[in-house]
Amino acid sequence: MDEVCEGLGTPVEATVRLDTSPELDAFRARVRAFISDHAPGIKTHTGVRAPEPELVPAIRAWTAQLYAEGFLGIGWPEQYGGRPDAHPLEAFIVAEELTRARTWEPIGAASLAAAAVIEYGTEEQKDHFLPRIRGAADIWCQLFSEPGAGSDLAALSTRARREGDEFVVDGQKVWTTNGQHADVGYLLARTDPEAPRHKGITAFALDMRAPGVDIRPLREITGTTDFNEVFLDGVRIPADRVIGEVDDGWRVAMSSLAHERTGVAGHAAELFLYLDDVLGVAANATVAGRPALDDASVRRDIGRLATRVHVNNLMNKLQQSQMLAGREDPAAAPLGKIFFGETNLALAEFGMALQGTDALLTEGDSGSVADGWWQDAFLYARAYTIAGGANEVLRTVVAERALGLPREPR
């Protein structure tokens, strides 16, 4: 174990690679060079964060460049800019390289909405929305979660009632990332309150500037406002903005979520970056008056964290290979999310512990490590164990859907 630090090499380059062909290596090199030449700077905070308003125009332009270069929307139909001859791993490579560069990915839920529009939208919806997504004219947000329907999305209570050629929507959504920047919302609302929980839900494309839409930023423990609550009071949506069939929104939403696969690649690269960061803190820290890396317990803890980062990467690569083979395991995504969230939290906690009393210093404080980056990462890390399905709920999903265990009697 004492050799662990020397044996790690450069962690961010240590990822297990599925893409080993010369063609994919050349594609990765082209993506990396393009990001180096054109990216709109480095993100100053970890996690899925909303940019300051003044950064949004640059991120829109950057998003349009990525689409124009063929690095996003790779799997779309050819008539809308997709590349049918593309290797299925290319999208994962792009996600890894964007994360590796610590730069901005496209903000919002446009890729999620695009999957719904491509599979279930009308030709008019495809002709309208898909070019606007590629050109970054529209930033989308996801209007799924509610105060009483987070991990249990089927419990949503926002209502949409039909009035002629429109639907009138009343309700509340919450945890809407980038809602303050969004032009369009991918909305789920209940259209048949008498139907079973997973029925009677409809998917809509909502104009976020429509009368009755009230967006209220939520200030979090980090001090930033990445999330919002959205109140919908008599909001009118034209019937031609229904995505798919009325009352069939659950199927639309689940299908589009299943297409959101590239995040696993980004998560693997993200943890290798944070492992690099931990080693940097350890190299400059002291324990009991001597260099931290001379302490066997510190080296042992780093070794354990490094092992978890590598296991996370292997889990992600297994999930990618299962996706490509068309034999996805119902346990893979929830287990991957759980393991990533808990490993990310452990890295942040260890990075803070290495700083001793300096961990109390935050951004702007003299002597703070990395200008308070670790403090923000520590506060945000807990969100990864809750967002996208709380880890406790996901363990139940694995037990019931993957292992076939009986529900606990009530």
Side-chain angles (χ1 to χ4, degrees):
M1 186 60 67
D2 283 344
E3 286 73 38
V4 65
C5 295
E6 289 85 346
L8 284 175
T10 305
V12 76
E13 295 291 356
T15 55
V16 172
R17 296 273 296 276
L18 295 176
D19 51 303
T20 56
S21 72
E23 294 78 12
L24 286 173
D25 287 343
F27 179 78
R28 183 181 290 275
R30 186 161 69 88
V31 172
R32 188 172 293 188
F34 186 83
I35 292 172
S36 177
D37 291 342
H38 300 285
I42 293 175
K43 291 174 64 176
T44 56
H45 295 124
T46 183
V48 182
R49 310 299 280 272
E52 295 299 320
E54 59 269 20
L55 286 175
V56 174
I59 294 171
R60 285 185 189 265
W62 168 236
T63 300
Q65 285 180 299
L66 289 169
Y67 275 108
E69 198 68 18
F71 295 151
L72 296 179
I74 296 171
W76 288 17
E78 187 173 9
Q79 64 266 38
Y80 297 108
R83 293 187 289 112
D85 60 338
H87 194 286
L89 282 172
E90 289 184 9
F92 293 112
I93 290 172
V94 173
E96 286 179 355
E97 291 301 317
L98 287 170
T99 301
R100 179 184 175 277
R102 299 181 187 259
T103 194
W104 288 97
E105 298 176 344
I107 61 172
S111 62
L112 184 72
V117 170
I118 288 170
E119 186 166 2
Y120 293 99
T122 64
E123 292 305 313
E124 291 77 11
Q125 289 174 343
K126 294 174 187 177
D127 290 342
H128 175 76
F129 288 120
L130 297 181
R132 293 182 63 81
I133 290 174
R134 295 192 72 89
D138 287 339
I139 293 172
W140 287 65
C141 64
Q142 181 180 332
L143 297 170
F144 287 11
S145 295
E146 299 182 4
S151 297
D152 183 14
L153 181 58
L156 68 86
S157 60
T158 293
R159 300 289 181 90
R161 67 182 187 276
R162 185 76 180 252
E163 288 190 1
D165 292 334
E166 296 178 317
F167 285 83
V168 182
V169 183
D170 294 283
Q172 180 186 355
K173 299 293 180 176
V174 75
W175 311 125
T176 305
T177 309
N178 288 297
Q180 70 270 51
H181 303 310
D183 307 288
V184 188
Y186 180 13
L187 169 70
L188 293 183
R190 192 166 295 283
T191 41
D192 184 356
E194 303 302 321
R197 280 163 43 91
H198 296 88
K199 306 291 184 181
I201 294 171
T202 300
F204 299 90
L206 167 67
D207 180 356
M208 293 298 288
R209 297 178 183 83
V213 178
D214 183 10
I215 304 166
R216 303 181 190 176
L218 294 168
R219 185 162 294 275
E220 297 127 42
I221 194 172
T222 57
T224 57
T225 52
D226 306 300
F227 303 116
N228 303 265
E229 52 185 348
V230 180
F231 294 87
L232 306 166
D233 184 9
V235 178
R236 292 185 172 272
I237 305 177
D240 63 6
R241 288 299 184 256
V242 171
I243 303 174
E245 299 295 328
V246 173
D247 295 335
D248 196 32
W250 184 262
R251 183 160 64 107
V252 174
M254 293 304 104
S255 175
S256 57
L257 287 168
H259 283 84
E260 283 287 277
R261 298 170 166 181
T262 58
V264 297
H267 282 171
E270 191 171 11
L271 291 191
F272 277 106
L273 286 172
Y274 298 166
L275 181 58
D276 256 342
D277 294 337
V278 161
L279 290 172
V281 175
N284 293 291
T286 59
V287 174
R290 60 183 183 141
L293 290 179
D294 289 345
D295 187 280
S297 65
V298 171
R299 298 167 72 86
R300 182 170 58 249
D301 288 342
I302 292 174
R304 286 171 175 161
L305 287 170
T307 301
R308 292 182 63 170
V309 170
H310 281 269
V311 169
N312 176 78
N313 184 53
L314 289 169
M315 291 173 70
N316 285 337
K317 293 302 183 285
L318 174 61
Q319 189 178 350
Q320 289 178 38
S321 66
Q322 289 174 332
M323 290 173 182
L324 297 178
R327 48 181 179 82
E328 298 180 39
D329 181 346
L335 288 177
K337 191 267 181 186
I338 292 168
F339 195 79
F340 164 79
E342 294 183 352
T343 302
N344 178 73
L345 178 59
L347 283 164
E349 290 174 334
F350 187 67
M352 289 282 281
L354 286 170
Q355 297 174 42
T357 57
D358 285 347
L360 297 174
L361 302 175
T362 59
E363 184 178 357
D365 290 339
S366 176
S368 63
V369 175
D371 194 27
W373 184 92
W374 281 100
Q375 285 67 29
D376 178 83
F378 168 71
L379 293 173
Y380 189 87
R382 185 65 66 181
Y384 272 133
T385 69
I386 302 170
N391 285 3
E392 293 79 6
V393 172
L394 292 179
R395 285 185 169 91
T396 300
V397 170
V398 172
E400 293 179 356
R401 299 182 189 174
L403 302 179
L405 299 180
R407 289 177 176 266
E408 181 181 356
R410 299 188 180 226

